[in-house]
């Protein structure tokens, strides 16, 4: 949160850097702060001096040409770039240009993924601001949700809050969307109950993955394959499903080791990089596997991915066989 405050301070003091990079997994916050910079740096109606670029087909030379163009009846020109991929593979001309940005030009990049060894990343960090937006911890999310509910005159108990977060995960965009649905559903009542959450909030992909691993642990092969078919119907790619299942096994393996070493839930959440409210349920699931089974499932997931990528087997069949292997 400290780095986010630097943006607020820049806006408050009107002491802007000429280049900003906003990056990270928490796109809800990232977009909020990008929009704060947009509102502070540009007039919303000024299409002559504010430009927006999206995607990986952006021509860096076009950005440079635009940056070199004097603003039209304005103090400065603002260029916003989203999802360029420049911070994974840096265009040399843009790296060099960062040292030459005119006083009248401001760049704001928004990226979900960056490579911190990337030349452009290093250059932006040197001359501007590179601000990472990470997934927020459980206590921050709960305070944020409680603040939203208080404005609407609603109350919620901690167990119901934890149930809600178990449905949404820690993605603030998902939380925001599901919260709006919940507020509309509970419009005529003061207290939000567990039955309201169950009635309104959908199970995200992560919950289906959890259920699939649970079915695998219980040797419920038919149920595990049904969940796989459900995810395919939701247009989830087999490779992504394999990645998520393998990652779940990896989290369980790590939590099992931490539990055996006597760590409490808070420390386990910190070390495994998962929300504290999810640790209890994950630890319960981890107990259903031996350490050897979890290690084998992770290694087999990596091997299956390699076989798919090298064309030894089709993705859909490979993932199905992986599920069958561990649920038999």
């Amino acid at each position: 949160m400290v780095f986010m405050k630097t943006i607020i301070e820049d806006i408050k003091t009107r002491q802007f850097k000429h280049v900003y990079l906003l990056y990270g997994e928490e796109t809800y916050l990232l977009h909020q702060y990008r929009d704060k910079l947009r509102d502070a740096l540009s007039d919303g109606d000024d299409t002559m001096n504010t430009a927006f670029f999206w995607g990986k087909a952006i021509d860096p030379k076009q950005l440079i040409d635009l940056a070199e163009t004097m603003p039209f009846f304005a103090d400065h020109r603002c260029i916003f770039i989203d999802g360029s991929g420049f911070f994974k593979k840096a265009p040399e001309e843009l790296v060099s240009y960062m040292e030459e940005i005119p006083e009248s030009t401001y760049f704001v990049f928004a990226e979900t993924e960056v490579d911190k060894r990337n030349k452009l990343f290093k250059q932006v960090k040197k001359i501007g601001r590179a601000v990472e937006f990470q997934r927020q911890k459980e206590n921050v999310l709960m305070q944020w949700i409680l603040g939203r509910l208080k404005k609407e005159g609603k109350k919620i108990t901690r167990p119901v809050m934890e149930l809600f977060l178990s449905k949404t995960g820690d993605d603030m965009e998902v939380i925001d969307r599901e919260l709006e649905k919940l507020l509309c559903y509970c419009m005529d009542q003061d207290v939000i109950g567990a039955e309201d959450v169950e009635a309104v909030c959908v199970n995200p992909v992560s919950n289906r993955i959890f259920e699939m691993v649970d079915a695998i642990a219980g040797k419920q092969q038919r149920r595990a394959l049904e969940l796989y078919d459900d995810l395919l119907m939701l247009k989830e790619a087999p490779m992504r499903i394999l990645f998520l299942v393998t990652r779940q096994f990896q989290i369980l393996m790590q939590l099992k080791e931490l539990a055996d070493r006597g760590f409490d839930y808070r420390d386990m959440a910190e070390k495994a990089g998962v929300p504290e409210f999810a640790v209890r349920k994950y630890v319960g699931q981890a107990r259903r596997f031996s350490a050897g089974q979890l290690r084998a499932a992770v290694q087999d997931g990596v091997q299956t991915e390699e076989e798919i990528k090298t064309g030894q087997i089709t993705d859909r069949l490979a993932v199905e066989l992986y599920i069958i292997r561990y649920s038999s």
Side-chain angles (χ1 to χ4, degrees):
M1 296 294 285
V2 174
F3 293 114
M4 297 180 212
K5 288 176 182 175
T6 62
I7 295 178
I8 298 299
E9 188 63 24
D10 289 351
I11 292 171
K12 190 182 294 184
T13 61
R14 307 297 295 175
Q15 298 295 312
F16 296 106
K17 300 292 184 183
H18 282 277
V19 56
Y20 288 85
L21 166 62
L22 315 182
Y23 69 97
E25 288 185 307
E26 188 43 79
T27 54
Y28 180 88
L29 285 177
L30 189 156
H31 291 153
Q32 275 203 337
Y33 278 78
R34 178 201 59 193
D35 293 347
K36 287 178 190 292
L37 281 170
R38 183 192 62 201
D39 293 342
L41 284 167
S42 63
D43 182 340
D45 298 324
D46 185 4
T47 56
M48 294 289 293
N49 298 296
T50 305
F52 300 90
F53 295 84
W54 295 270
K56 292 182 169 55
I58 301 167
D59 182 354
K61 291 179 181 177
Q62 185 182 359
L63 297 180
I64 293 170
D65 288 344
L66 186 60
E68 286 293 301
T69 306
M70 289 293 293
F72 187 74
F73 289 114
D75 293 330
H76 49 254
R77 177 177 297 282
C78 303
I79 304 172
F80 293 84
I81 304 110
D82 278 22
S84 67
F86 291 159
F87 294 87
K88 297 284 279 183
K89 185 177 181 181
E92 287 295 336
E93 60 267 50
L94 203 53
V95 174
S96 302
Y97 185 71
M98 288 294 107
E99 295 278 14
E100 305 169 8
I101 301 174
E103 285 295 315
S104 59
T105 298
Y106 294 91
F107 283 99
V108 178
F109 293 92
E111 305 283 335
T112 53
E113 290 184 296
V114 304
D115 180 348
K116 293 182 181 179
R117 300 164 298 177
N118 176 283
K119 288 182 180 179
L120 188 57
F121 179 88
K122 290 179 179 178
Q123 190 73 299
V124 170
K125 195 171 181 183
K126 175 184 169 186
I127 65 168
R129 287 211 194 283
V131 180
E132 184 175 10
F133 292 83
Q134 298 176 329
R135 292 286 168 85
Q136 299 299 293
K137 296 187 183 300
E138 177 184 8
N139 63 326
V140 176
L141 293 175
M142 285 189 172
Q143 287 301 317
W144 178 59
I145 292 167
L146 285 172
R148 293 277 301 275
L149 293 178
K150 187 176 180 181
K151 286 181 182 176
E152 300 293 332
K154 308 292 182 189
K155 294 180 181 178
I156 192 170
T157 64
R158 187 181 180 92
V160 176
M161 172 87 80
E162 289 180 350
L163 173 64
F164 174 73
L165 285 171
S166 76
K167 297 280 189 183
T168 63
D170 57 358
D171 186 317
M172 290 179 76
E173 279 192 319
V174 176
I175 293 172
D176 182 60
R177 183 173 66 245
E178 294 301 307
L179 202 53
E180 285 297 328
K181 287 161 55 178
L182 194 57
L183 286 168
C184 289
Y185 184 79
C186 299
M187 190 176 294
D188 298 326
Q189 61 194 68
D190 297 331
V191 180
I192 294 173
E195 65 281 3
D196 303 313
V197 173
E198 292 288 2
V200 173
C201 300
V202 299
N203 279 335
V205 169
S206 59
N207 276 16
R208 290 174 189 263
I209 295 296
F210 181 89
E211 289 176 33
M212 186 190 293
V213 173
D214 228 25
I216 290 170
K219 304 301 181 185
Q220 299 171 320
Q221 191 172 99
R222 178 176 292 182
R223 176 60 179 157
L225 291 171
E226 283 175 356
L227 287 162
Y228 179 47
D229 286 339
D230 286 349
L231 288 166
L232 292 174
M233 291 287 287
L234 290 169
K235 306 299 183 187
E236 287 293 329
M239 282 286 279
R240 174 165 165 76
I241 295 170
L242 176 64
F243 165 76
L244 292 171
V245 172
T246 304
R247 186 180 70 172
Q248 179 73 4
F249 278 125
Q250 194 165 22
I251 290 170
L252 297 183
M253 183 172 69
Q254 189 176 1
L255 289 175
K256 188 175 187 70
E257 181 187 344
L258 292 169
D260 290 345
R261 289 166 59 189
F263 284 93
D264 62 24
Y265 287 148
R266 178 173 294 179
D267 288 339
M268 290 165 73
E270 185 74 28
K271 290 182 179 298
V274 296
E276 190 178 336
F277 63 81
V279 169
R280 189 185 301 274
K281 126 176 137 168
Y282 283 178
V283 168
Q285 191 175 72
R287 291 196 186 105
R288 305 180 68 186
F289 296 92
S290 69
Q293 287 173 322
L294 291 171
R295 194 176 303 108
V298 172
Q299 292 171 347
D300 202 9
V302 174
Q303 180 62 34
T304 301
E305 181 183 358
E306 182 65 23
E307 289 172 359
I308 294 169
K309 286 181 175 177
T310 54
Q312 297 175 52
I313 190 171
T314 61
D315 56 359
R316 183 164 182 162
L317 177 59
V319 179
E320 187 172 318
L321 290 174
Y322 178 85
I323 294 167
I324 290 171
R325 193 175 306 128
Y326 287 95
S327 60
S328 297

